[in-house]
């Protein structure tokens, strides 16, 4: 349970830091924090699967998570496509959707140009989140982030999802903390430091939870 508590604390901190940055600077100037939040949503998606055994005695956790489950899956998808694996398929689709990118490739690539690239790729990733018949799974229409109502729709969904996720994680932490018993005797603490000194590091394979 220690690892799950640590994960929860880190994920919640990353989400709340991202929200603070967006509220302070706006989404356009918070692209790095947006990417951090997408990674946090992906980690939350994995963490939640490992928490399901405690739902039996804490059904309110499952109910709370159900309020944000579809959004966490959506933002996890964006993390995989927009942050974790910037594939040729997504980039080619972005150029198809935003052909003006081609006109800028021979110019100087300052931060403003790269910002436009980032949001064009993000927009394309959002629009590829569709079901088997091509219907959008989260929003009712295609998203054009240059169109203020669409931009606000995405930003509001993003911030509201952070709030709901943080509430869920706070509830998780309240339940997990009493399950953990840190050593409070000198001999037990000394044993931990002794074990730490014997640590050997090996390459970690697979994701694991």
């Amino acid at each position: 349970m220690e690892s799950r508590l640590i994960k929860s604390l880190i994920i919640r901190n990353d989400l709340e830091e991202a929200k603070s940055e967006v509220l302070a600077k706006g989404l356009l100037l918070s692209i790095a924090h947006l990417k951090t939040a997408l990674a946090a949503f992906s980690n939350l998606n994995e963490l939640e699967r490992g928490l399901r055994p405690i739902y039996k005695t804490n059904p309110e956790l499952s109910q709370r998570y159900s309020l944000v489950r579809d959004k966490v899956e959506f933002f996890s998808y964006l993390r995989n496509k927009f942050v974790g694996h910037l594939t040729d398929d997504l980039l080619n689709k972005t150029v198809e959707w935003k052909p003006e990118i081609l006109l800028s490739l021979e110019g100087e690539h300052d931060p403003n140009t790269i910002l436009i690239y980032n949001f064009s790729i993000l927009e394309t990733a959002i629009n590829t989140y569709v079901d088997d018949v091509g219907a959008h799974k989260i929003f009712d229409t295609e998203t054009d982030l240059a169109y203020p109502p669409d931009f606000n729709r995405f930003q509001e969904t993003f911030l509201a999802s952070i709030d709901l996720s943080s509430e869920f994680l706070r509830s998780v932490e309240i339940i997990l903390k009493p399950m953990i018993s840190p050593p409070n005797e000198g001999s037990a603490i000394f044993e931990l430091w002794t074990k730490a000194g014997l640590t050997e590091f090996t390459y970690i394979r697979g994701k694991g939870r």
Side-chain angles (χ1 to χ4, degrees):
M1 288 300 174
E2 290 90 345
S3 64
R4 290 172 185 169
L5 177 58
I6 293 169
K7 283 183 186 179
S8 180
L9 292 166
I10 291 174
I11 292 167
R12 181 162 63 84
N13 181 78
D14 285 350
L15 290 173
E16 292 175 352
E17 284 285 334
K19 178 184 175 181
S20 295
E21 189 76 4
V22 170
L23 292 177
K25 296 182 178 180
L27 189 62
L28 278 175
L29 298 180
S30 305
I31 187 68
H33 280 77
L34 170 63
K35 291 181 178 182
T36 296
L38 295 180
F41 278 118
S42 181
N43 285 327
L44 173 55
N45 193 36
E46 291 188 358
L47 171 64
E48 188 271 337
R49 296 171 196 164
L51 293 172
R52 291 176 187 175
I54 67 175
Y55 285 173
K56 185 174 182 180
T57 53
N58 301 277
E60 72 280 3
L61 281 183
S62 177
Q63 295 166 5
R64 192 179 293 275
Y65 191 72
S66 68
L67 300 175
V68 73
R69 180 185 300 277
D70 61 334
K71 304 302 189 303
V72 171
E73 292 175 352
F74 169 54
F75 289 119
S76 296
Y77 173 86
L78 295 184
R79 178 267 171 197
N80 291 338
K81 305 303 180 186
F82 173 54
V83 180
H85 308 281
L86 203 53
T87 65
D88 287 347
D89 287 343
L90 177 59
L91 295 175
N92 290 337
K93 184 59 66 174
T94 300
V95 170
E96 177 185 341
W97 172 244
K98 297 285 187 178
E100 60 269 25
I101 289 177
L102 295 175
L103 304 179
S104 69
L105 290 179
E106 292 184 354
E108 293 296 325
H109 295 91
D110 60 22
N112 291 331
T113 303
I114 301 303
L115 185 63
I116 292 171
Y117 290 174
N118 267 303
F119 274 93
S120 296
I121 297 166
L122 171 63
E123 182 181 295
T124 304
I126 293 169
N127 286 327
T128 62
Y129 194 62
V130 296
D131 61 21
D132 292 340
V133 296
H136 293 279
K137 297 172 71 172
I138 294 293
F139 302 126
D140 295 333
T141 62
E142 287 181 347
T143 294
D144 179 354
L145 293 175
Y147 179 54
D150 286 5
F151 182 90
N152 292 335
R153 179 178 66 180
F154 176 77
Q155 179 172 275
E156 289 167 5
T157 300
F158 175 70
L159 294 175
S161 299
I162 288 178
D163 288 340
L164 289 171
S165 297
S166 293
E167 290 173 12
F168 168 75
L169 291 167
R170 287 181 189 275
S171 298
V172 167
E173 291 155 21
I174 289 171
I175 291 168
L176 292 184
K177 283 183 178 180
M179 298 181 182
I180 296 170
S181 301
N184 53 17
E185 296 182 359
S187 59
I189 294 173
F190 180 76
E191 184 179 344
L192 287 178
W193 300 139
T194 301
K195 184 178 179 181
L198 298 174
T199 300
E200 294 184 1
F201 297 99
T202 58
Y203 190 86
I204 297 175
R205 301 184 183 278
K207 291 192 299 183
R209 296 196 183 99

